[in-house]
Every structure is written in structure tokens, then in C-alpha cells.
Amino acid sequence: MKNIVVVGSQWGDEGKGKIVDWLSEQADVVIRFQGGHNAGHTLVIDGVVYKLRLLPSGIVRKNKISIIGNGVVVDPWSLLEEIDEIKSKGVDVNVENFIISESANLILPFHKEMDEIREDSAGKDKIGTTRRGIGPAYEDKVGRRSIRVMDLRSEKNLDQRLESVLTHHNAIRKGLGKKIFEKKQLKKDLLEIAPKILKFSQPVWLKIDEYKKKKKKILFEGAQGILLDVDHGTYPFVTSSNTVASSAATGTGCGPNSINYVLGITKAYTTRVGEGPFPTELVDDIGKLLGTRGKEFGTVTSRKRRCGWFDGVLVRQTIKISGIDGIALTKLDVLDELSEIKMCVEYDLNGKKLDYLPAAVEDQLKIKPIYRTFPGWKTSTSGIKNIDELPANAKNYIYALEDFIGTNISSISTSPEREDTILIENPFDI
């Protein structure tokens, strides 16, 4: 048995969908363990495009079990909409192949409104959230006032829980001069969809223990990237959950000894969505070229991504923080047209050299990247499936990147198509 955690080693959008899809074909169980419908994966299977937001990638494959863990915050209406959408493409979603943790916390309409209110009032200090209520929902979770899936079982209990959470939110709304949120209609709406959600509800920790005893292969599917982790990312410009590999254990209810291999998905350059520090960002023609060739627009939000050179300092740091055993290098082909390629190997902070990203945001905004420059290859790598067929300069860049970050490259993606991958080692076989 081999259980794998897949995480993004940068700010998200590293191309996890393609890699997770390939791994999910080999897995028996695929589990989402954090985040919400603010992060998406795009899968292309037999010419059909699936854009997933909450559903784990295993759902598009037959004879796989897909699970939403307790660490995920769930917008129930968005989930049901996604289920209907994927069913319309011929994918079956039923109680045999899909499970939601009974302990998962719900995103409700007032969470989304609070997200929007805060972003609109923040002005130049906005975080750049997706405005989908993720942060406010996690706040209610740690504030012990959240509505969980299990709360939908009892009308009396739901009424009490809603009274508690709305007392908190309406006090804030009044202070901001906003209309209070009425409980009656929300309670009615939740009770209406409750049976559709509860039929999938189970104690996920117990199911995982069962799968482990049966020697099932489990794939833990991360969303976003480590640099958006609420503890280890570029705070406060982060998401509201822990995106590191270790949160796969707490976000599903299994011990860390359930994790056998951590795969970090790593883009051959760097992108970021929203606000916040970005040391290697390019606001010139090269940045535009990377964005155009890489089709750098968000799966969920369609927001344009900021683009820059590969930041080896950051990836080396996230590898250590998340215990990454190997990386899947993606979007190498996006660099094909460049005559030279740069990699950040050190920072300069007011004349002082740093080999790590400092924690203070004011320092993160001041640091200047120190680059190592490589000659480009100026020829297409798209579709190459054997590393020996890559241009010499491409191989030199890859080997230098691997040596600097100190972790093996397990695969190299040379196009968005699943089969266009150079496989060096299969994490399930190690």
C-alpha cells in the first residue's frame, strides 16, 4: 500500500489537475483535505473537459471513491450544482463513490457577503480573495460557531446553531451599516437541501481506517499552494487553511503515518493570483509572453495570473516545510520561445544576502531577486515523452533546478495533455 499527498509548491495554479488525474487512475480513494470551491482543477479526459471545484479528481473515473474531508469548507449549493454539472457529462455521483465528512463546515450566504464587504472596504489593503466566503467560514469554524454537515440532521439543532452564528455576524453587519441577515429563509433553504447533502455524509476518519486495513491506495489531493498556507505562506496574503502536506492528516482524520510520499507540483516558472509579495514578478513583455503561452487564467475565477521567473529559493523553502519527496515539473513547454531563462537563487534585502523568504511582509516586499541565467532552447518541447529527447539547454535548466532545490524531479509535463509527460519515477511504485 502507498498513500500519496499532492501539494502545490508555489502559490497554486501549478498544474495539479493533470498530475492528480494521472495519479487518481492508479489510486483507489481520492480525498480533498482543505480549502473550498475557491480552487479548481481542470481535467481533460478523452477530449472532455472537467472543471472541478469541490469534487475530488477521482470522481471522473469509474470504481474510485471520492471524499471531501473535514478540513474542507463546503458551500452546499455550489456542491450540488457541481454534481449536477458533472452528471450532465456522463459521470455518476452516488453514495457508493462519493462521501462528505459529517464534520465538514458549511459556507453559507452571509459568509460570501462578509467576504465581499471586507474586500470592498479594504481598498489598497485588500487581500485578493475569491469572494466566495472561504475565510469567514473558517473563522466561524475556529470560533466554534460554525454550521457543520451533521447539523442538518435536526431542525431544532440547526435553529440553535444558526441563532448562534447570526448573533455574531449581525453584530458585525450592524457595525458596518449593513442590513442584518434573517434566519428564517436560510433555515428553510438549508432544510430543503439537507437530504441531498446528508445522504453522502459519513464519518470519514472511520472510512479511511477501513480503507487502510484493506490496503487501498489513497491519494490526498491538495488545493492551492504552500505559499498560501495560513501559517507558512506570505501572510496576510494567504488563504485561510493549511495547505501543507501535514494537513492531509488533520483534514481527513488519519495519522501522519498514513502518508508515505509527498509530491510537490512545481511550475517551471512562477505565477500568483491576487495581491501580495512576488519577488520574481515580471511586468514586461516576457511576463506577458508567459501568461499568454501558459494560458494563465484561473479555473474558478478566470482572474489573470501574475507571472515571473522560477524562484528556486521559495520552492526549496516549501519543500522543507512540507516534507516534499519529489516534484512534478509542469509547463516546461511554456519556456520554449525564450532566448534566456532566469532562476532566482538568492535574495538581497537592503544589501544583505538571504537564502530564504523572511516572514515579515514588509521585508518580502523589499527583497530583490538574485538570478542565475541559462540559455534558452528556442525549439519546441511540446509533447516530448522521453527526457533524452529534450534539447540540451532544456536538460541543463532542469538539472540545475533539481540540484538547487535539493529534491528529485519525478516527472516533467510538456503540454496540458495527460500523455505528454516524461515519467522519471512513479510515486505509487517507490
Side-chain angles (χ1 to χ4, degrees):
M1 180 187 70
K2 176 76 74 170
N3 300 328
I4 297 172
V5 178
V6 173
V7 291
S9 70
Q10 294 155 308
W11 277 292
D13 310 310
E14 298 94 349
K16 290 185 289 295
K18 171 181 171 177
I19 307 300
V20 167
D21 171 49
W22 173 69
L23 289 170
S24 68
E25 189 176 37
Q26 304 170 65
D28 301 303
V29 183
V30 183
I31 308 178
R32 275 282 309 272
F33 58 87
Q34 50 77 219
H37 63 309
N38 55 334
H41 289 167
T42 300
L43 312 179
V44 182
I45 302 173
D46 298 328
V48 180
V49 178
Y50 303 96
K51 293 191 175 184
L52 304 178
R53 298 173 293 279
L54 270 170
L55 292 171
S57 298
I59 200 71
V60 299
R61 300 203 169 275
K62 293 182 179 179
N63 304 316
K64 311 292 180 183
I65 297 169
S66 294
I67 299 176
I68 292 177
N70 55 274
V72 179
V73 285
V74 179
D75 181 322
W77 294 279
S78 180
L79 175 61
L80 293 174
E81 182 182 305
E82 189 174 341
I83 290 173
D84 288 342
E85 181 183 315
I86 204 162
K87 279 185 173 182
S88 71
K89 295 187 176 184
V91 176
D92 190 21
V93 182
N94 56 60
V95 295
E96 299 298 322
N97 71 352
F98 179 54
I99 298 170
I100 306 172
S101 171
E102 61 183 2
S103 302
N105 293 258
L106 299 182
I107 299 174
L108 300 176
F110 53 80
H111 291 130
K112 182 179 177 182
E113 290 184 14
M114 184 57 67
D115 214 351
E116 293 171 342
I117 290 168
R118 285 177 177 168
E119 279 290 276
D120 290 339
S121 62
K124 63 181 180 63
D125 295 323
K126 65 181 180 179
I127 299 297
T129 77
T130 56
R131 298 170 176 256
R132 292 174 179 248
I134 310 298
Y138 273 116
E139 287 178 40
D140 281 346
K141 175 181 177 178
V142 297
R144 302 180 295 277
R145 55 182 172 264
S146 186
I147 309 296
R148 300 196 287 176
V149 169
M150 65 181 72
D151 293 322
L152 300 178
R153 295 174 185 159
S154 161
E155 180 177 352
K156 180 181 178 181
N157 180 61
L158 178 61
D159 188 83
Q160 292 173 341
R161 299 299 300 156
L162 283 172
E163 189 69 33
S164 172
V165 71
L166 286 176
T167 296
H168 171 82
H169 276 267
N170 281 334
I172 298 173
R173 293 170 74 100
K174 285 180 183 178
L176 294 171
K178 303 295 181 180
K179 184 179 178 182
I180 67 167
F181 200 97
E182 299 292 345
K183 179 180 71 173
K184 185 176 180 181
Q185 186 60 48
L186 176 56
K187 177 184 169 184
K188 179 182 177 182
D189 292 341
L190 283 170
L191 290 173
E192 184 179 323
I193 64 168
K196 299 176 184 179
I197 298 293
L198 288 172
K199 70 178 182 180
F200 298 115
S201 171
Q202 292 193 51
V204 163
W205 66 270
L206 193 58
K207 297 301 295 184
I208 293 177
D209 186 61
E210 175 189 320
Y211 299 141
K212 286 168 62 179
K213 288 176 180 176
K214 292 180 178 179
K215 307 296 183 183
K216 300 285 188 182
K217 291 181 180 178
I218 302 174
L219 177 63
F220 297 90
E221 178 183 350
Q224 299 149 307
I226 297 167
L227 291 169
L228 293 175
D229 185 279
V230 70
D231 285 301
H232 301 288
T234 48
Y235 190 92
F237 301 96
V238 292
T239 192
S240 299
S241 62
N242 287 111
T243 60
V244 292
S246 52
S247 65
T250 53
T252 59
C254 64
N257 61 349
S258 300
I259 300 169
N260 308 113
Y261 188 97
V262 179
L263 180 66
I265 315 302
T266 306
K267 197 177 286 187
Y269 50 101
T270 310
T271 62
R272 173 163 204 170
V273 171
E275 309 301 318
F278 187 171
T280 65
E281 182 174 12
L282 298 169
V283 292
D284 55 11
D285 289 342
I286 294 176
K288 292 178 183 177
L289 183 143
L290 293 174
T292 301
R293 284 184 54 81
K295 297 180 173 62
E296 296 297 350
F297 296 91
T299 298
V300 172
T301 62
S302 297
R303 288 192 295 176
K304 186 178 179 181
R305 298 171 187 147
R306 300 154 64 190
C307 298
W309 294 120
F310 182 81
D311 193 328
V313 178
L314 279 183
V315 172
R316 185 174 59 186
Q317 184 166 323
T318 59
I319 284 170
K320 296 177 187 298
I321 289 169
S322 207
I324 291 173
D325 297 297
I327 69 166
L329 189 66
T330 63
K331 294 199 170 186
L332 180 71
D333 56 304
V334 174
L335 304 178
D336 287 349
E337 293 184 5
L338 298 173
S339 57
E340 68 174 25
I341 296 162
K342 295 183 180 182
M343 179 195 305
C344 177
V345 294
E346 203 170 20
Y347 296 136
D348 182 304
L349 177 60
N350 299 324
K352 180 182 178 181
K353 300 292 178 63
L354 293 178
D355 61 358
Y356 66 95
L357 183 73
V361 68
E362 58 264 34
D363 290 339
Q364 294 172 0
L365 291 167
K366 289 177 184 175
I367 57 175
K368 304 297 182 185
I370 298 172
Y371 290 115
R372 179 180 171 188
T373 302
F374 300 84
W377 41 93
K378 297 288 287 183
T379 186
S380 176
T381 61
S382 182
I384 291 178
K385 301 177 180 64
N386 187 317
I387 195 167
D388 293 330
E389 296 175 9
L390 287 173
N393 285 348
K395 286 189 282 188
N396 290 339
Y397 175 68
I398 291 166
Y399 294 144
L401 185 153
E402 183 179 49
D403 181 64
F404 184 82
I405 63 177
T407 301
N408 291 337
I409 293 176
S410 64
S411 64
I412 303 166
S413 176
T414 57
S415 97
E417 299 300 322
R418 188 155 84 71
E419 62 272 13
D420 292 340
T421 303
I422 298 169
L423 180 61
I424 299 169
E425 60 183 25
N426 185 341
F428 274 122
D429 293 338
I430 296 172

